[in-house]
Amino acid sequence: MKILISALLVFILVQSTIIFAQKPSRTAPKITSPVSKFDPDKTDESKPEDSANDFAASGLPAPEDFGGAPNDALAAALAKRLTDYDEDNLPLLITTLQRAGFFIINENQKVLYQPTTGSGMGIAFYDFEVAGMLKLSRRGFVSSVEQLSTQIGKDTPEIPPSQVASLMMRDLRTSANSSNKLVRFWARLIVELGKNSQQSVDLLSTNSATVPLSVIQTSLWERRLIGDVIAFAQNASAKNRFDQKRDDRLNLVKANYFSPPPCQTNDIESLVMDASSLGITTAHGQFLEKIAETLSTKGSETLGKIGFRLGLVNIALSWAKLVAAMMTLKGEMKIEDPMPLERTKNSVEGQSREMTARVWAEVGNLQFLNCVRLALNTASGLDFSMPSDGPLAGRDIAWELTDDASFSGQGSSKTGKFDNFVNLKAPEGAKRNPLEQITDDNGESKMNLVGAPKIPAVINKPVVPVRKKAGIKIAVAFKSSRDTAQNFIDIGGAALGIATGGPIAILGIIPELGFRMKWDIRKLTVPVKDWELCTEDWAGTIEYKRTFSQSTVVKTVSRKGTRTVNELTEITWNLNPRRRDMPFDTPPIPADVTVRVKNSDIFEGTGEADVCCSDQASKDSGARIREAITLNVDKSGKSPIKVDLSDNFLLSLSPDLSNYELFKGTKRRSFTVSESACPVDEDQTAESTTEEFANMIITPLSRTKTMRRLLKTGESVEEIWGTESFDDPLGGKIVYKWTISRCGDL
């Protein structure tokens, strides 16, 4: 039967692939008016993709399509990626929690994302907790089993903190070998996160309860423990006794942090989404057995006290995660005019421009946070203080060249030499190393961008101007260089109001090495005018971008739902003109080209996943399914592009992309059943990864207007620049952009 079910899953996936391979109907091509004029000397300021930092404004992003059925290998793979805190991993964390069997709900307890295996563990995280646990973990905040057990067992001498810690560690090791796949995956995930942490530790082999746990690990452990205690309290005899002894301070804030006051607290049991699933996925059997031993002598007293202390731990963690989620780190970068920055033609430094960066922390919805704080103080008897926003003063800040101006981008990967066209130079009085700057009281830092010396020099030689872009990014540390003690938990300048030595000391500061890590805040792209020896070949940069987006309603015999297609292709050619010292019969040199493709084709809805179901009514109702097909390409190589400028100065660009390898990428297909009246398989997931080529049909640019000017730099120089946008025959939007030049008898 198992083999039959697996075969049916493969059949379903193949049939789904056939359906998804059919292209959606697209609009007829439409030629738009050309927009040939643009400013090639304009600076551009941007921020890195960071959905966790943007949570207060944008909410949770969509989960990432990664992994299949929960198993040991998937736990290891997810943990390895999650602990790479340089990446925007909030979508992956959402997926991880789904794979581990958790619901994710919003402030109104509406389910945003559900487990990928039926009802999962039956317990939920709030959306703010998901964003908050990631932000706290990557900024170096930790807890430990010792800190958790100290709080949980504080009022129960019959189960003292040391015994609570021992039982928790033993239960984790038992769960890591559980026959229940979700329980095993939950435990293995916590273990693998420890192995991949900065202070790597194997929780399956250590007996120490003091080893640091990231806030992600702590949240996973604490939430499962809460679920187990609730399930224990809800059984036939324990629930009534538990309710009689339960204190109101067990309540958890309802997290209506986008709703107006008055704020109210909500029972901790509101996190339970499915009581039956909660009971069959118990992960703390030995701890619960110890509590059960006290029922005959203590009645519900021990259970009530442990439940109360768990409630306090949950409140403290929730407040920390709420403030972290609502805190947005912001920055801005400016550079003095005029632009572009011009590089010298000889072996001395070129022009210099002063840059200024300002970084600050901004707390969203302070009125509501204060309302929540007061409600928590009343519910818990603790005293939480308000976070504060403002400039990040006295912080370590790093200035770094990036993109084409980086070490690899400026030629080292091709020539083995640092062919830099710009340099960073610290202002007088500051540390010389741009990576070791400190913000002032206003959260500001200054740095000079300088044109690099031209070696070999091209002075008194015919040269052509070549437009380049210098990327400069800033990254900031979250611990103040001026406050070496910093005994409060600080998120980018905002004190959480939970002292590490306070009444609920569950979080601490990671050792100095980790806590000094810096995080990218802002990026500035500066136009630079470089000089190259003049030839009749075109020099400069040509960019191509194609986007397509379409959402359609699917109503077929086998499927009902929504299909969303998004396609992005970006190609950049850096032209390589022949030099005058080359033989006259030297053939044209192909351009250096980069190709990036990011396509997705996602169906969400109901389908005939239950082909083995014997009950017709259940079969007719179908199953909730999600199929995601993604294709990603990121390649560099050589490829020519033909540039033709007609006698009446109309530009045509004809890419030659016969180098197929530039378009080879990774195609991933995942098929997940999240709800089913009669599941075809307990895994309910199938996936595949293959190599595949992206669409190589690139629409050329034909006879378009362009900006043009003639210069005199030893001989006649022709420089053209512009942009053009139009719709392609498949309904995509195409944008070309060019800044190129040449010299000769013009």
Side-chain angles (χ1 to χ4, degrees), residues 166-184:
S166 176
L167 291 169
M168 288 178 64
M169 297 288 284
R170 284 159 55 186
D171 277 332
L172 182 73
R173 288 191 283 269
T174 301
S175 296
N177 295 295
S178 172
S179 59
N180 184 297
K181 292 201 304 182
L182 280 181
V183 172
R184 182 186 179 104

Side-chain angles (χ1 to χ4, degrees), residues 47-55 58-66 78 80-96 130-132 134-135 138-139 216 519-520 598:
K47 64 182 182 67
E49 290 187 13
D50 189 347
S51 50
N53 192 47
D54 297 337
F55 171 79
S58 305
L60 289 182
E64 181 176 336
D65 292 297
F66 185 90
L78 286 167
K80 184 178 179 64
R81 281 197 52 194
L82 279 175
T83 50
D84 181 5
Y85 294 127
D86 287 333
E87 299 296 323
D88 179 21
N89 275 333
L90 185 55
L92 184 69
L93 178 57
I94 296 170
T95 298
T96 301
V130 182
L134 177 62
K135 294 173 77 171
R138 72 183 186 182
R139 292 174 192 172
I216 295 176
W519 305 101
D520 293 347
K598 190 173 183 179

Side-chain angles (χ1 to χ4, degrees), residues 101-106 108-115 119-126 230 268-278:
F102 292 97
F103 290 83
I104 299 174
I105 59 179
N106 68 3
N108 297 316
Q109 294 185 291
K110 176 184 177 182
V111 175
L112 301 178
Y113 300 112
Q114 53 195 5
S119 56
M121 286 194 172
I123 197 164
F125 283 104
Y126 280 106
I230 289 175
I268 198 170
E269 293 183 28
S270 64
L271 293 169
V272 176
M273 308 302 294
D274 187 297
S276 60
S277 296
L278 196 66

Side-chain angles (χ1 to χ4, degrees), residues 463-485:
V463 291
V464 64
V466 177
R467 304 283 178 168
K468 295 182 178 180
K469 296 179 180 179
I472 307 100
K473 69 177 182 178
I474 55 170
V476 66
F478 295 105
K479 182 172 181 178
S480 172
S481 294
R482 301 176 183 177
D483 182 3
T484 55

Side-chain angles (χ1 to χ4, degrees), residues 125 133 214-224 321:
F125 283 104
M133 72 174 76
S214 71
V215 181
I216 295 176
Q217 289 174 288
T218 304
S219 298
L220 287 167
W221 209 329
E222 174 257 4
R223 191 53 42 90
R224 183 60 258 182
K321 288 183 281 191

